[in-house]
Each structure stands twice: as structure tokens, then as C-alpha cells.
């Protein structure tokens, strides 16, 4: 089952790490964009090709070190259909490398519409007498603003297809508290969402002991992590905001259970654009993928040290 | 400017109506799917072709009656890249017909990610020395859960490009109240969001008197419409939930200002699948587009009667 597969991969790699495949043009080394533009021109197709080649280099360099990747679909969707082709190619390649794929799509709508997102991203869509799995991620991130009937269609598909969702609880951005922290009957909104996550995931718990309905809680809010770890004992917590957004290894402790499980930490630009930061600039643009590999190794050590220190 | 353009079109058509282009396979007449499958097989490409031909028929039949359309991207995205090609074709065709396009994408993320969605859907993306407008909707719907820094990048692009956003406030689905209705310091979440909408849109008000930051409030909650009409006097309210979801003309009164402006009502399956309902079945599957036209005319009358009755 999916959660057991994720847990096994985390244990095997000793790396509760997700690499965020969030390509921005400014991250992509010139030798890659030049080659793509030479072939396709400075077009959306050229941008898609550059993104894909860039991703492929990173995936080849890090796939044996990590359990999972999290492509942020917005970074592809901004290039339209051509960008989404690169998204799909990236998903397919990650699947070939046996990585767990978290589609960071943050979708969520009324029931019938969420059902369409769910079949498109996690399930199968019917076309006449045939079925297809158009994107086929393992997990999708989901926005809870619309409440249970906007989330349930995703959960239904998860049960049918052995897939998972990760629901936004407390996001890593500076103004996340504007609505998420507001008290409702003495409890912040994020805690109400967390309690619903327990309900939504209740009958999706597999042999790992974790449910297929996880939660996003930002590394930038460790105190919230501490609370939410207790509120949602059966949910894996996806922790964005490590690295570039300011979260540090020591901040992550509260997100994990005693056994070192229960959380998986995302880093995007800290890994995929490592070569642009002072710590890894010695790799140079040509060595961007090696820089990413070293950044994963260092992140793994940072988290392991933090977990060992408690 | 955009809001003036929308208001003028509403006044000219006397129809504060948006047609929701939310194609589901079960809505598409057999003669269209058969033709598409004959050409492309029962494939994702075939589904995309069927959707596009179905949409084209409806657009041709109703474009002179209405100011705006609202394609729901999920209904295309569920067919993967091929579905999104049909989405793009639909947008381009609606633009040719001079319709205002509301991309119902309900995106929203941390700042840098919302910026990517904003350029992809409303603005222009840079590729080397060139720029492209990949989707180029006029409006996009936005989910506010992440707070100001998740919404601001959309507003920035709106200002640059004369585009608009419509933020989820109180959605039309049955469980929307789960989080949206909860009281925070005595006010429901949707009202807090509404007040933020005033801030976000404050310097986007054009000669129409309306701001480029609108709000979604479901027809299924007329009492909320009454309150929110006062809370956000400068925002257009997009009202989903009319027709198939249960909202009626009389329920809509509260969403409009005294002058009959300030709201635009969406109907999706009630129009695009009209031929499948008892009231319009006489048109038959071959006449599905004519049925849609008649349904628009009837909806226009229903709303006009309701507005005249007050």
C-alpha cells in the first residue's frame, strides 16, 4: 500500500526528504536553455524542453538518495500546454525511477469538480469504453477551503486507486496566519482542518499505521508543527519551507514522531538551484546536478543530526 | 478597462449571465463523440476533440446573448494535456467572439507560486527575450486560504495587464460552511475574506466604479449574498449555483446592487446540457446548441423578472 511504500523508502534512504521540482527559468543553467532554444527557438516549447532537460539532470543525480519528489505544477502551467507536457514527462520519468510523486497542485472545488481533478491526477478517466490515467501522481495536495464535499471525491479515488492526498493545514508563507490562525470557538482554523483530516483519512490507514490523508504544515511554524503532530497522529506531515524559506533542521523536530517517522521535508530551490548559492557555487552551472546531489546529502545530514539530538 | 467592458456588455445584452463551459462526457451528444472517436479513437485526444466541438456548438449558439463565459479548467485537466489543449482552443475561440473569459481555476499558493499561476493565466511569461500569454483569460478565480501574499501576485498582474480575479468567499456547495461559516471574533470566515477583498482591490477600481477583485458567493446562500453585497460594495459578485445546484431567480436579488449591477450569475449544466432536461428535451441531441440558446433566453427572463419585482 502507498503509505507503507513511502515509509519503507524513507527508512531505506534514511532521508525523510522530498525534492521540490519547481523549475524557474532563472535556475536553469545557460547551456541547457541555449540547447533547447537552438532546437525550438525562444518559444513555450523551448521553455518546456529546457525545463524537462534540467529536471532530468537533477533526477538522475538524486533519485537513489530520496524517497519522493514534489513537482509544483504552477511552474509548468505558467508555460501553458507546452509546460504541462514537461510536467507530464517529468512525472513519467520519476515513475521510471520508482520515486513517490507528490503532485503539488493545491486543487479543491465543489464535489463534481473535485472529482474531475481527482480522476485526472490520481485516478482514471473514462473515454468511451477505454480508461486513461492522465497524470497519475501518487499524492496530490488539496486546498480545504470548500470543506468535506470538496475533499471527499479525492479520498474516494485514493481508496480505489491506492493513492493519497496532502491537505493544506498551515502553509509556510508569511501571511498564512491571516485566515489559518484565526480562532474559531477558541481553536485556530488550521486545527479545525487538522481534525477534519482525521475524519477524512480514518479508513485509509494501511499497514504502516499512517493514513492516506496527510497534511501540509510549514517548517517556518515549528510551534504549529508541535501541536498538529498531536492533533493528527495518523497523518504524514509534508513540511515545506526548509532552506530557502528559512526553516532549519532544528525547527523540524516537532513535526516527527518519536520513531523518526511521520514527516517528510520538502526543499525546492535549496536543492535544484543549489549551484547558485555560495555553499555550492564551486560546482558551477555545468555541475548543477552534482550540486543538487551534494545539497541532498547535506540536508539528509542536517535532519539526521536534528533527530539524533533529541 | 476590464470592469467597464464587463459592465457595458452586461448592459448591452441585458444578461448578467455567465455560461459555465464545464463539459462532461455524459453531456456531449453522441453524434459529436462518435465523430471525434472515428477520427482519433477512444483516446484522450478524441475526448479533447469531442469537448472542443461540443463547446464550439454552444458558443456559436449563445455568444450574442451573453457577456461572459466561465470554463471550469478541471473538466479539461481531467483529460491531461489533450484536455488542456481543448481548454486553450475554447479560450481562443471565446476571445474571437469577444466574450469576457473567466478561467475557473481556483488557484492559490505561496507568493512565488501564485506569481507563476498569475503570469500563466492572466499575464505574460518570459522565455529568453520573448514573452507569451499562455492562457490569457480575462479573470481567474482564486482561493484565499493562503492569505494576502498568495493573492497579491495575482493582483499585481491584474494591474499590469488590465485583468481581474474573483476570490472564493462563500462557495455554493453543501459543506461550504464547514470552515467558511465559522465565527472568528464574532464574524464568519467569509466576511473576513470579503474585507480583505476590499483591501486587495482598493486601487483597481475603474470608470465603472467596480474593482478588478471580485468575489464568489453561491446562489444557494442568498442570506450571505445580502450581507456580502454590503461588505464588498465595489466588488462584482460571481454567483454560481443557479439552476442545477438549486438556486432560483428570486434568490439572486440580494446579490445585485440597486441599479441591477454588481452581480453576474453562472449556470453550467443548466445551459450546456439543457437538452437533457425535461424542459428542453424537444430539441433533441442534434439540437443541443439550440436548447442551450433557449435556456439562456429563459434564464435572462428569470433574472429580469426577479430584478423587476423588487
Amino acid at each position: 500500500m502507498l503509505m507503507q511504500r513511502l515509509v519503507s523508502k524513507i527508512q531505506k534512504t534514511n532521508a525523510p526528504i522530498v525534492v521540490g521540482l519547481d523549475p524557474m527559468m532563472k535556475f536553469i543553467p545557460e547551456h541547457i536553455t541555449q540547447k533547447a532554444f537552438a532546437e525550438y527557438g525562444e518559444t513555450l516549447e523551448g521553455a518546456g524542453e529546457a525545463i524537462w532537460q534540467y529536471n532530468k539532470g537533477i533526477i538522475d543525480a538524486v533519485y537513489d538518495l530520496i524517497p519522493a519528489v514534489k513537482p509544483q505544477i504552477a511552474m509548468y502551467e505558467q508555460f501553458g500546454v507546452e509546460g504541462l507536457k514537461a510536467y507530464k514527462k517529468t512525472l513519467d520519468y520519476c515513475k521510471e525511477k520508482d520515486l513517490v510523486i507528490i503532485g503539488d497542485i493545491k486543487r479543491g472545488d465543489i464535489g463534481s469538480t473535485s472529482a474531475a481533478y481527482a480522476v485526472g491526477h490520481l485516478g482514471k478517466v473514462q473515454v468511451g469504453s477505454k480508461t486513461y490515467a492522465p497524470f497519475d501522481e501518487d499524492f496530490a495536495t488539496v486546498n480545504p477551503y470548500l470543506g468535506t464535499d470538496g475533499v471527499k471525491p479525492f479520498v474516494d479515488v485514493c481508496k480505489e486507486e491506492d493513492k493519497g492526498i496532502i491537505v493544506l493545514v498551515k502553509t509556510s508563507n508569511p501571511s498564512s496566519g491571516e485566515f489559518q490562525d484565526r480562532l474559531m470557538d477558541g481553536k485556530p482554523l488550521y486545527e479545525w482542518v487538522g481534525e477534519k483530516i482525521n475524519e477524512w483519512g480514518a479508513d485509509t490507514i494501511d499497514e504502516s499505521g499512517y493514513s492516506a490523508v496527510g497534511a501540509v504544515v510549514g517548517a517556518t511554524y515549528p510551534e504549529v508543527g508541535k501541536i498538529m503532530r498531536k492533533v493528527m497522529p495518523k497523518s504524514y506531515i509534508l513540511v515545506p519551507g526548509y532552506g530557502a524559506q528559512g526553516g532549519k533542521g532544528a525547527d523540524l523536530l516537532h513535526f516527527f514522531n518519536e520513531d523518526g517517522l511521520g514527516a517528510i521535508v520538502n526543499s525546492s530551490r535549496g536543492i535544484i538551484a543549489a549551484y547558485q548559492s555560495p555553499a555550492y557555487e564551486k560546482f558551477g552551472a555545468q555541475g548543477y546536478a552534482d550540486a543538487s546531489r551534494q545539497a541532498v546529502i547535506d540536508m539528509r545530514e542536517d535532519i539526521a543530526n536534528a533527530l539524533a539530538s533529541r
Side-chain angles (χ1 to χ4, degrees), chain A:
Chain A
M1 298 283 288
L2 176 65
M3 294 310 300
Q4 180 56 46
R5 181 175 163 234
L6 177 65
V7 167
S8 297
K9 288 181 79 71
I10 290 170
Q11 289 173 321
K12 205 173 124 194
T13 55
N14 194 27
I17 291 176
V18 191
V19 172
L21 295 172
D22 307 355
M24 298 177 94
M25 288 306 273
K26 66 185 177 191
F27 299 161
I28 305 181
E30 222 175 289
H31 67 278
I32 293 177
T33 46
Q34 277 180 353
K35 194 168 169 217
F37 292 166
E39 195 167 355
Y40 297 100
E42 288 180 339
T43 59
L44 295 172
E45 206 177 351
E49 171 67 10
I51 286 173
W52 155 240
Q53 293 297 342
Y54 169 67
N55 281 350
K56 185 172 178 299
I58 293 165
I59 297 161
D60 285 340
V62 304
Y63 78 92
D64 60 317
L65 297 176
I66 56 170
V69 290
K70 181 177 76 62
Q72 166 53 259
I73 198 170
M75 297 305 165
Y76 306 81
E77 193 170 317
Q78 69 178 323
F79 298 102
V81 168
E82 294 301 330
L84 288 155
K85 283 186 195 168
Y87 179 73
K88 172 65 175 152
K89 265 191 190 173
T90 300
L91 298 180
D92 289 348
Y93 194 65
C94 290
K95 195 176 296 285
E96 256 179 55
K97 296 290 184 189
D98 196 33
L99 290 160
V100 172
I101 299 169
I102 301 168
D104 198 354
I105 63 174
K106 295 191 179 67
R107 304 301 195 241
D109 210 299
I110 66 166
S112 54
T113 306
S114 278
Y117 282 128
V119 300
H121 285 278
L122 302 174
K124 298 188 189 81
V125 70
Q126 190 85 28
V127 181
S129 62
K130 305 269 172 56
T131 58
Y132 297 91
F135 289 110
D136 206 19
E137 298 104 323
D138 295 301
F139 291 90
T141 57
V142 169
N143 187 310
Y145 189 73
L146 285 90
T148 294
D149 61 29
V151 176
K152 260 320 218 9
F154 285 99
V155 179
D156 293 343
V157 170
C158 289
K159 287 178 189 167
E160 278 163 31
E161 305 280 348
D162 189 26
K163 299 290 180 91
I165 56 171
I166 307 180
V167 179
L168 303 187
V169 170
K170 170 69 179 171
T171 53
S172 59
N173 56 312
S175 63
S176 68
E178 222 166 74
F179 304 124
Q180 297 165 24
D181 289 3
R182 280 205 180 269
L183 297 181
M184 302 161 146
D185 297 328
K187 265 190 304 199
L189 172 56
Y190 61 72
E191 209 171 321
W192 288 100
V193 175
E195 289 177 0
K196 279 287 170 193
I197 284 176
N198 289 338
E199 278 181 45
W200 296 330
D203 47 358
T204 68
I205 298 170
D206 75 2
E207 63 273 29
S208 71
Y210 287 100
S211 99
V213 180
V216 173
V217 183
T220 42
Y221 301 102
E223 289 309 310
V224 177
K226 194 172 180 174
I227 296 163
M228 296 313 291
R229 182 61 289 165
K230 294 201 182 93
V231 170
M232 312 170 299
K234 298 296 184 189
S235 285
Y236 242 82
I237 300 180
L238 170 68
V239 189
Y242 174 90
Q245 287 184 55
K248 293 185 186 65
D251 295 332
L252 300 172
L253 278 184
H254 301 312
F255 296 86
F256 288 89
N257 283 319
E258 293 298 316
D259 56 4
L261 294 172
I264 189 157
V265 183
N266 181 76
S267 178
S268 299
R269 84 181 59 186
I271 290 178
I272 67 172
Y275 80 101
Q276 293 182 338
S277 73
Y280 302 100
E281 67 185 356
K282 66 171 187 283
F283 287 94
Q286 291 284 346
Y288 81 101
D290 295 329
S292 297
R293 184 174 177 88
Q294 189 58 49
V296 169
I297 291 169
D298 294 346
M299 180 177 172
R300 183 177 65 183
E301 196 184 339
D302 184 36
I303 295 175
N305 286 343
L307 287 173
S309 74
R310 67 175 180 184

